[in-house]
Amino acid sequence: MHIPTSTYRLQFRDGMTFDTAIEFIPYLKSLGISHLYASPIFTATSGSTHGYDVTDCNEIDPAIGGRDGFERLSAALKAAGLGLILDIVPNHMAASTENAWWADVLKFGADSRYAGHFDIDWSQRLTLPILGKSFDEALADGEFELQRDPRTGDWSLAYFETLLPLNPQSTAQISGDLKDRSLISSIHDQQPWRLTFWQDAAKTLSYRRFFEVTGLVGLRVEDEQVFTDSHALVLELVRAGHVQGLRLDHIDGLADPSAYLDRLRAAVGPDIYIVAEKIVGHGEKLPADWPIEGTTGYEFILALSNLFIDPDGMRELGHAYANISPDAANFAAGLRQAKLLMIERNFEGETSRLVAIAHSLLADTDGQRLASAIKELLIAFPFYRTYGRAGKLSDSDHRLIEQAVDKAAMQTGDRDALDAVAGLLDGGAHAEEFQRRFQQLSGPIMAKAMEDTLFYRHNLLLGANEVGGEPDRTVGGVDAFHELMEQRAKQQPHGLTATSTHDTKRGEDARARLYGLSEEPDVWRLGMERWRDMNRSHLTELPAGLTPDANVEWMLYQALAGIWPEEFRDGAAASLTDRFVAYAEKAIREAKLATDWNAPHEQYEAAVKGYAAALTASASLTFHEDFAETLRPVMAAGYLNSLSQTLIKLTAPGVPDIYQGSEVCDFSLVDPDNRRPIDTKELARMLATRDPTSELTVPALKQRIISIGLNLRKRLPTLFAEGDYVPLSVTGIRHSHVVAYARRLGDAFTITVTPRMMLGQLEPGKLFSGPEFWGDTAIILPAELQCPKHDLLTERSIDAAASVLVAQLLGTQPVVLLQGR
């Protein structure tokens, strides 16, 4: 297998086509990238901005260049010596009539040849939650009409622009007034589907969906025919040599990830690089039998937080946060409340189905007791899911269930019901459906409760609220980071290491800046007091009180701090308004407290968005000056944190993944802000026009460090793919401010040295502290690393010695990458 030395993620669509990407290839090669990592390229719904709503698994989307454009891209990559990794979507497809398989299911119901392709409960009519009101209300309001579909000539039921195929056996009676309500009602009653109010989906949906997205229906890839049908083109592209790697979206959504991966590996062969999108919780390991190289790297972001979040400062910041928002500050209680919301409202239908299955298997146990036990088990689950197969659990999953039962028992006290439900999770083939449904539900509940609810309610430090993050866990510092990297080198040395993705809550540079707030919590607390007072006139009096409340204000100021421009005058601050207001709206809807996506509270949202807009308005100059002055040292420390985490990503175990545009500073907010098109020409110009005699801007310096690091990995691929991770001891007065480690294989080695916790310690206008700050701080080198070395970032030579003073390394530059001569 050819392991990538690095990947570069490109978001196709929204202006990025295959031909645009071809023009970008020379830049990627110069940067040092070995593999282009493409977002989904298969045909998706019209106007799709991301490609995960696939309508045809076996067609390359004409919207981005089609098969011909893909062939040109493949040829251009090969000519440049670059590989290609495709992001594929095995878990779901678009529940859209643009999807021919879905349209056939709508037409023929359970008799469709594709009825078994989708995860549908055929004990009832297929529910289509697309109406803006109940069916009867929509019918009474004349919102339906019988029409011929201009594409097929067949009869359909039109609901505004949506044309729904009708079962041929129901169309003989169609004649006369095509808007006749009784005729339409009769026709509707004869379909294998029924139209429902979209807000009822959580209760009544009859198919498995992707999280809460009713427009994405689950695929049954555990079925061999479904796998064959949905992977035909992917496998063709692999066998033709166009594709060297696959990224698997949402692996935890599958009924049996292990069996799927076995089948996929057998189909693509041993040489294709495979990684899976999987959140790995603290203490969790990837199943040992998965035939993949690793994950997409969210756990690496969590590992980095150990280096840049000050645990003492976090405790102080936590006290200040609890004073203004005591309810939001209780993370454990907040997680329980968020999970309850998911179980009882957002996934009510899926939970009820689980209870019904359990009751059918445990008829002697009261249904309410079973419902309570299932609810508490789902709440108690610390990870996304277990991976039982054919009703059986692994030993590690069995222990996980036992721990969850113990925790759940503290809430219900009904140990018998909990043990009965736990027995179904390991109860043999007769309970296989319960096991499968439970495993496919625990993940969405965790994800939606944590990432898409609690991370917008608990706003202590937004930089810690990241995908895969655990903001309630005390960070462990340098030693904890070294331990995690040693584990990573053993368990998934070829998995991706990510710092930004299309799903992260904010760009890597914004996160690196926000980490700095933990170093000076009093500065943030006092600033918050001033800013809230300055902007009190922008609050709105609503029946529930002044809006936004203190918790939302805390969130808004931190989010703004993460993206604040160095120069805020001349409209720079005001130019943030549209992005910032859109973020504010998404944040309060995701929090699901005073408003949410299902039932927007217009007055509340207007008050919060008005406040957010006022913060960035040019008229708020007094606030801007105070905000900028307070943030100045935080921004400087954030830049240094960014350069440190960048170099660490380039040299730590794993394959560094560069998300489009993040090789320069990435201060984006949550999607869709982080999926904005990139300026490919400007990125190429920056890399090509470096002036070695002038001081680089931070974006240019970051890009240069990445280019040096990635090209080093291309020159020494085996060192980074197989080499040991060697933590290096640091002594002296500033030892806690240094991260140092080596990568070593035989005689080859590199040494990475970066600073940490440097807020308020930097030279004015510089991204380093002088030699006097470092004093006697030194890195102790083992015998095999005591030979002469040179710094790849400055070309300086370092003499052979048993130790090296940090002042010699970091006294005149931000970060250091040494290579043995």
Side-chain angles (χ1 to χ4, degrees):
M1 178 184 296
H2 181 68
I3 302 298
T5 61
S6 61
T7 62
Y8 192 100
R9 168 81 176 201
L10 270 186
Q11 293 293 111
F12 283 96
R13 300 174 174 78
D14 226 6
M16 179 59 67
T17 65
F18 293 135
D19 287 334
T20 308
I22 289 169
E23 296 175 359
F24 200 44
I25 289 174
Y27 166 77
L28 297 179
K29 184 173 183 178
S30 296
L31 190 63
I33 297 297
S34 73
H35 286 65
L36 173 63
Y37 163 22
S39 68
I41 64 171
F42 303 104
T43 299
T45 56
S46 299
S48 174
T49 59
H50 50 75
Y52 290 99
D53 44 356
V54 176
T55 57
D56 190 338
C57 304
N58 296 311
E59 180 183 63
I60 297 177
D61 204 331
I64 56 175
R67 183 62 184 257
D68 289 344
F70 175 82
E71 298 276 1
R72 291 194 296 274
L73 175 64
S74 176
L77 288 169
K78 288 179 181 178
L82 272 65
L84 176 63
I85 296 172
L86 288 187
D87 187 347
I88 66 170
V89 192
N91 177 68
H92 54 266
M93 291 183 73
S96 164
T97 55
E98 294 182 47
N99 178 349
W101 296 354
W102 185 249
D104 197 77
V105 168
L106 297 187
K107 194 170 186 177
F108 298 107
D111 293 329
S112 167
R113 61 174 294 195
Y114 301 109
H117 280 51
F118 302 107
D119 197 347
I120 299 170
D121 177 7
W122 285 112
S123 67
Q124 57 180 301
R125 290 167 67 193
L126 175 62
T127 54
L128 301 182
I130 64 173
L131 302 182
K133 57 192 73 168
S134 72
F135 175 79
D136 288 341
E137 290 173 318
L139 183 66
D141 290 342
E143 295 178 354
F144 300 113
E145 182 178 2
L146 295 165
Q147 291 183 6
R148 292 280 188 179
D149 188 327
R151 297 169 299 177
T152 65
D154 295 334
W155 282 109
S156 64
L157 179 61
Y159 176 66
F160 297 105
E161 292 82 17
T162 301
L163 299 182
L164 299 163
L166 298 177
N167 188 290
Q169 295 180 0
S170 69
T171 60
Q173 67 187 95
I174 297 178
S175 63
D177 184 1
L178 299 183
K179 291 186 178 183
D180 181 84
R181 294 172 189 173
S182 61
L183 175 61
I184 289 173
S185 180
S186 173
I187 294 291
H188 177 259
D189 289 343
Q190 298 175 61
Q191 302 312 308
W193 45 262
R194 63 186 179 92
L195 296 172
T196 63
F197 183 25
W198 68 270
Q199 288 194 347
D200 291 338
K203 292 183 180 181
T204 63
L205 198 67
S206 63
Y207 58 86
R208 181 174 61 84
R209 52 190 166 157
F210 172 73
F211 294 114
E212 295 178 88
V213 185
T214 56
L216 297 175
V217 56
L219 271 176
R220 296 183 62 254
V221 287
E222 63 271 22
D223 181 281
E224 186 173 359
Q225 187 62 52
V226 178
F227 177 92
T228 299
D229 290 348
S230 60
H231 287 66
L233 180 54
V234 169
L235 298 182
E236 176 197 331
L237 298 178
V238 166
R239 291 163 183 161
H242 294 303
V243 175
Q244 289 70 47
L246 298 172
R247 182 262 195 191
L248 311 177
D249 183 64
H250 188 41
I251 193 72
D252 276 346
L254 305 186
D256 190 345
S258 184
Y260 169 79
L261 292 171
D262 287 343
R263 183 172 283 151
L264 180 66
R265 176 57 76 190
V268 301
D271 296 331
I272 295 298
Y273 176 78
I274 302 176
V275 290
E277 183 193 29
K278 155 76 181 155
I279 304 298
V280 181
H282 182 82
E284 183 181 11
K285 296 180 181 178
L286 281 180
D289 61 346
W290 283 13
I292 62 175
E293 280 54 68
T295 72
T296 53
Y298 292 124
E299 68 278 0
F300 186 74
I301 299 175
L302 179 59
L304 285 171
S305 69
N306 287 285
L307 299 178
F308 302 113
I309 295 178
D310 185 328
D312 295 330
M314 276 291 279
R315 280 190 288 272
E316 293 184 37
L317 199 63
H319 294 320
Y321 183 54
N323 284 335
I324 73 160
S325 189
D327 291 340
N330 190 329
F331 189 88
L335 182 55
R336 176 176 176 80
Q337 291 167 1
K339 282 193 169 185
L340 272 173
L341 179 67
M342 294 301 108
I343 292 165
E344 295 178 350
R345 190 190 75 173
N346 297 50
F347 293 97
E348 180 185 352
E350 289 88 342
T351 305
S352 296
R353 186 176 184 185
L354 263 185
V355 173
I357 296 170
H359 197 42
S360 71
L361 299 169
L362 301 168
D364 294 337
T365 306
D366 179 72
Q368 286 300 113
R369 292 176 62 202
L370 289 174
S372 178
I374 289 170
K375 175 182 72 177
E376 292 299 339
L377 273 178
L378 288 168
I379 292 172
F381 243 66
F383 302 147
Y384 269 47
R385 60 170 288 174
T386 53
Y387 296 94
R389 303 179 69 177
K392 297 299 181 182
L393 291 173
S394 67
D395 289 343
S396 61
D397 280 349
H398 195 76
R399 289 192 295 271
L400 180 63
I401 294 291
E402 290 177 343
Q403 293 166 9
V405 167
D406 289 342
K407 185 176 179 181
M410 297 178 187
Q411 294 291 334
T412 71
D414 191 347
R415 185 75 190 216
D416 290 342
L418 287 167
D419 286 340
V421 172
L424 296 180
L425 292 171
D426 192 16
H430 76 286
E432 184 176 356
E433 184 183 7
F434 180 85
Q435 181 192 71
R436 182 175 72 253
R437 297 293 177 193
F438 188 98
Q439 291 179 152
Q440 288 180 296
L441 179 58
S442 60
I445 285 176
M446 172 67 89
K448 298 302 292 185
M450 180 86 90
E451 295 169 20
D452 292 337
T453 302
L454 187 57
F455 280 3
Y456 295 94
R457 294 179 174 183
H458 177 86
N459 300 306
L460 171 57
L461 183 65
L462 295 187
N465 290 7
E466 194 47 84
V467 179
E470 298 176 346
D472 60 326
R473 188 174 296 279
T474 301
V475 296
V478 176
D479 289 344
F481 177 78
H482 285 325
E483 182 179 353
L484 289 169
M485 290 304 101
E486 289 176 302
Q487 292 173 4
R488 188 172 180 82
K490 295 175 183 176
Q491 294 171 4
Q492 54 161 321
H494 305 145
L496 294 183
T497 50
T499 44
S500 290
T501 77
H502 60 289
D503 282 330
T504 43
K505 300 300 182 185
R506 61 203 73 249
E508 60 194 53
D509 296 279
R511 190 186 318 117
R513 179 187 292 177
L514 292 175
Y515 287 153
L517 300 181
S518 69
E519 298 185 59
E520 290 287 355
D522 281 344
V523 170
W524 182 255
R525 176 181 60 81
L526 294 172
M528 278 291 302
E529 291 175 1
R530 294 194 308 275
W531 305 327
R532 291 180 68 196
D533 187 61
M534 286 180 183
N535 294 305
R536 191 170 300 277
S537 64
H538 302 307
L539 296 172
T540 301
E541 183 71 57
L542 295 178
L546 287 174
T547 303
D549 64 14
N551 184 38
V552 174
E553 285 184 290
W554 181 288
M555 177 270 292
L556 290 174
Y557 286 113
Q558 274 204 27
L560 186 59
I563 63 172
W564 190 251
E566 278 191 276
E567 181 47 63
F568 56 88
R569 293 178 175 82
D570 300 325
S575 69
L576 299 174
T577 300
D578 289 346
R579 294 171 54 210
F580 187 54
V581 169
Y583 169 81
E585 179 183 75
K586 177 165 183 172
I588 57 177
R589 287 187 177 183
E590 294 284 22
K592 306 173 186 70
L593 292 171
T595 188
D596 63 30
W597 297 103
N598 289 342
H601 187 309
E602 293 183 7
Q603 285 183 307
Y604 176 80
E605 291 189 356
V608 173
K609 291 193 290 185
Y611 188 88
L615 296 186
T616 56
S618 297
S620 297
L621 183 59
T622 301
F623 160 65
H624 292 174
E625 289 175 339
D626 186 297
F627 196 63
E629 184 61 28
T630 304
L631 287 181
R632 195 177 311 281
V634 177
M635 293 171 73
Y639 282 133
L640 186 54
N641 285 347
S642 173
L643 297 179
S644 293
Q645 77 175 1
T646 295
L647 184 58
I648 290 169
K649 178 171 79 169
L650 297 173
T651 57
V655 177
D657 172 36
I658 311 299
Y659 181 65
Q660 61 173 34
S662 67
E663 66 271 33
V664 296
C665 288
D666 177 11
F667 292 105
S668 58
L669 294 160
V670 72
D671 67 280
D673 191 63
N674 63 6
R675 303 182 187 188
R676 288 171 292 153
I678 57 173
D679 189 338
T680 56
K681 290 183 171 57
E682 175 60 15
L683 290 169
R685 186 201 65 77
M686 286 178 62
L687 188 64
T689 59
R690 291 197 308 265
D691 181 355
T693 64
S694 64
E695 188 169 342
L696 296 175
T697 63
V698 175
L701 178 58
K702 183 181 176 186
Q703 186 189 47
R704 179 173 178 269
I705 290 170
I706 288 173
S707 180
I708 290 171
L710 295 186
N711 280 290
L712 172 67
R713 292 182 67 98
K714 289 181 77 171
R715 294 196 302 273
L716 300 172
T718 309
L719 169 65
F720 291 101
E722 302 176 13
D724 294 332
Y725 178 90
V726 184
L728 299 178
S729 297
V730 183
T731 63
I733 190 172
R734 304 294 186 186
H735 71 277
S736 64
H737 290 272
V738 180
V739 184
Y741 60 86
R743 300 299 308 278
R744 185 184 65 208
L745 184 66
D747 294 333
F749 70 86
T750 62
I751 296 175
T752 298
V753 183
T754 71
R756 62 186 289 268
M757 304 295 176
M758 297 296 288
L759 182 64
Q761 307 293 348
L762 303 179
E763 296 282 333
K766 303 292 183 181
L767 290 181
F768 56 81
S769 290
E772 64 281 357
F773 170 81
W774 297 107
D776 65 345
T777 309
I779 300 170
I780 308 303
L781 300 176
E784 55 271 26
L785 304 183
Q786 293 177 12
C787 61
K789 296 167 279 291
H790 71 282
D791 181 358
L792 295 174
L793 305 183
T794 64
E795 298 301 328
R796 291 187 302 157
S797 296
I798 306 296
D799 295 334
S803 65
V804 58
L805 288 172
V806 173
Q808 183 184 359
L809 300 177
L810 296 178
T812 57
Q813 67 190 85
V815 295
V816 172
L817 176 58
L818 305 178
Q819 183 182 2
R821 285 184 158 175

